[in-house]
mmCIF file of all heavy atoms in Angstrom:
data_model
loop_
_atom_site.group_PDB
_atom_site.id
_atom_site.type_symbol
_atom_site.label_atom_id
_atom_site.label_comp_id
_atom_site.label_asym_id
_atom_site.label_seq_id
_atom_site.Cartn_x
_atom_site.Cartn_y
_atom_site.Cartn_z
ATOM 1 N N ALA A 445 2.751 9.200 -5.887
ATOM 2 C CA ALA A 445 3.330 10.496 -5.585
ATOM 3 C C ALA A 445 4.430 10.834 -6.577
ATOM 4 O O ALA A 445 4.548 11.968 -7.057
ATOM 5 C CB ALA A 445 3.863 10.517 -4.150
ATOM 6 N N GLY A 594 -3.533 58.204 -13.300
ATOM 7 C CA GLY A 594 -4.536 57.700 -12.392
ATOM 8 C C GLY A 594 -4.223 56.350 -11.820
ATOM 9 O O GLY A 594 -3.155 55.757 -12.070
ATOM 10 N N TYR A 699 -33.064 71.812 -5.934
ATOM 11 C CA TYR A 699 -32.365 71.884 -7.208
ATOM 12 C C TYR A 699 -32.917 73.040 -8.031
ATOM 13 O O TYR A 699 -34.053 73.493 -7.830
ATOM 14 C CB TYR A 699 -32.503 70.568 -7.989
ATOM 15 C CG TYR A 699 -33.929 70.088 -8.157
ATOM 16 C CD1 TYR A 699 -34.716 70.486 -9.231
ATOM 17 C CD2 TYR A 699 -34.491 69.221 -7.215
ATOM 18 C CE1 TYR A 699 -36.012 70.040 -9.372
ATOM 19 C CE2 TYR A 699 -35.803 68.782 -7.341
ATOM 20 C CZ TYR A 699 -36.556 69.191 -8.424
ATOM 21 O OH TYR A 699 -37.846 68.758 -8.558
ATOM 22 N N PRO A 710 -28.039 72.142 -34.579
ATOM 23 C CA PRO A 710 -28.996 72.781 -35.491
ATOM 24 C C PRO A 710 -30.436 72.350 -35.248
ATOM 25 O O PRO A 710 -31.360 73.109 -35.529
ATOM 26 C CB PRO A 710 -28.502 72.338 -36.871
ATOM 27 C CG PRO A 710 -27.046 72.055 -36.682
ATOM 28 C CD PRO A 710 -26.917 71.505 -35.301
ATOM 29 N N ASP A 934 -30.979 31.449 -36.926
ATOM 30 C CA ASP A 934 -30.278 30.183 -37.128
ATOM 31 C C ASP A 934 -31.164 29.108 -37.726
ATOM 32 O O ASP A 934 -30.861 27.922 -37.669
ATOM 33 C CB ASP A 934 -29.704 29.678 -35.797
ATOM 34 C CG ASP A 934 -30.792 29.550 -34.724
ATOM 35 O OD1 ASP A 934 -31.929 29.993 -34.996
ATOM 36 O OD2 ASP A 934 -30.488 29.030 -33.630
ATOM 37 N N LEU A 1076 -49.560 42.687 -80.257
ATOM 38 C CA LEU A 1076 -50.819 42.990 -79.579
ATOM 39 C C LEU A 1076 -51.822 43.405 -80.642
ATOM 40 O O LEU A 1076 -51.505 44.213 -81.521
ATOM 41 C CB LEU A 1076 -50.628 44.097 -78.550
ATOM 42 C CG LEU A 1076 -51.864 44.521 -77.733
ATOM 43 C CD1 LEU A 1076 -51.442 44.952 -76.333
ATOM 44 C CD2 LEU A 1076 -52.626 45.665 -78.399
ATOM 45 N N SER A 1105 -40.174 43.529 -82.541
ATOM 46 C CA SER A 1105 -39.238 42.472 -82.954
ATOM 47 C C SER A 1105 -37.813 42.982 -82.798
ATOM 48 O O SER A 1105 -37.536 44.164 -82.997
ATOM 49 C CB SER A 1105 -39.500 42.076 -84.412
ATOM 50 O OG SER A 1105 -39.374 43.198 -85.271
ATOM 51 N N LEU A 1227 -43.624 78.464 -68.095
ATOM 52 C CA LEU A 1227 -44.037 78.495 -69.499
ATOM 53 C C LEU A 1227 -44.132 79.934 -70.001
ATOM 54 O O LEU A 1227 -44.603 80.823 -69.301
ATOM 55 C CB LEU A 1227 -45.404 77.808 -69.637
ATOM 56 C CG LEU A 1227 -45.994 77.708 -71.039
ATOM 57 C CD1 LEU A 1227 -45.192 76.756 -71.903
ATOM 58 C CD2 LEU A 1227 -47.450 77.265 -70.960
ATOM 59 N N PRO A 1323 -60.713 85.766 -58.732
ATOM 60 C CA PRO A 1323 -60.234 84.441 -58.307
ATOM 61 C C PRO A 1323 -59.861 83.570 -59.503
ATOM 62 O O PRO A 1323 -60.383 83.744 -60.610
ATOM 63 C CB PRO A 1323 -61.433 83.861 -57.556
ATOM 64 C CG PRO A 1323 -62.618 84.518 -58.200
ATOM 65 C CD PRO A 1323 -62.165 85.901 -58.583
ATOM 66 N N ASN A 1361 -69.508 103.962 -61.448
ATOM 67 C CA ASN A 1361 -68.678 103.712 -60.265
ATOM 68 C C ASN A 1361 -69.263 102.496 -59.558
ATOM 69 O O ASN A 1361 -70.057 102.622 -58.618
ATOM 70 C CB ASN A 1361 -68.651 104.912 -59.317
ATOM 71 C CG ASN A 1361 -67.837 106.053 -59.866
ATOM 72 O OD1 ASN A 1361 -66.607 105.966 -59.907
ATOM 73 N ND2 ASN A 1361 -68.517 107.114 -60.306
ATOM 74 N N GLU A 1372 -71.686 90.047 -55.384
ATOM 75 C CA GLU A 1372 -72.479 91.186 -54.915
ATOM 76 C C GLU A 1372 -72.141 92.397 -55.790
ATOM 77 O O GLU A 1372 -70.972 92.746 -55.947
ATOM 78 C CB GLU A 1372 -72.165 91.498 -53.457
ATOM 79 C CG GLU A 1372 -72.583 90.425 -52.483
ATOM 80 C CD GLU A 1372 -74.069 90.453 -52.208
ATOM 81 O OE1 GLU A 1372 -74.684 91.522 -52.447
ATOM 82 O OE2 GLU A 1372 -74.624 89.431 -51.792
#
Side-chain angles (χ1 to χ4, degrees):
Y699 52 89
D934 56 352
L1076 181 147
S1105 58
L1227 181 69
N1361 288 288
E1372 294 282 339

